[in-house]
Amino acid sequence: MTTSQSSLSGRERRELKSRAKTLPVSVKIGRKGVTETALRELVRSLQQGQGLAKVSFPGDREQRAAMTLQVEEELGAICIASTGKTGAFYRALKE
């Protein structure tokens, strides 16, 4: 668990997961993996989606885990849910 994940309470995490379930996939990561363009689009999606965005990843389980970590590290986002090839990310909006 990263330090950013520990900053969310269980209740906050549960509410975010609930909100994320109804969101459509906003960014699809292609064969090239997590590119600068994909990260820019994800940042835009996080800003428009009140800090929440859903991402579809390609590849097997290990590749998806590595891409999830890369997104978390590069954007400072938290993966709040991961089901199959889809992950939901949260990043607090800057005031």
Side-chain angles (χ1 to χ4, degrees):
M1 181 181 280
T2 63
T3 56
S4 59
Q5 285 180 324
S6 62
S7 66
L8 286 176
S9 70
R11 179 182 210 130
E12 290 170 322
R13 192 175 191 83
R14 193 170 44 251
E15 288 172 3
L16 289 170
K17 281 173 122 178
S18 176
R19 283 181 33 210
K21 282 184 181 182
T22 61
L23 291 176
V25 172
S26 52
V27 178
K28 291 184 180 180
I29 305 295
R31 283 177 277 168
K32 293 182 181 179
V34 181
T35 62
E36 286 299 317
T37 306
L39 288 173
R40 249 185 279 124
E41 194 63 25
L42 187 52
V43 167
R44 186 187 64 75
S45 183
L46 284 166
Q47 290 169 343
Q48 288 180 344
Q50 299 172 341
L52 278 174
K54 256 180 153 172
V55 180
S56 176
F57 294 106
D60 62 16
R61 186 175 290 165
E62 290 81 24
Q63 290 172 328
R64 291 192 306 266
M67 287 185 228
T68 298
L69 277 175
Q70 184 180 356
V71 169
E72 286 181 326
E73 290 171 357
E74 292 193 28
L75 297 183
I78 302 168
C79 182
I80 56 167
S82 181
T83 305
K85 294 187 175 192
T86 306
F89 290 89
Y90 171 75
R91 183 171 75 173
L93 297 175
K94 295 178 182 169
E95 297 175 10

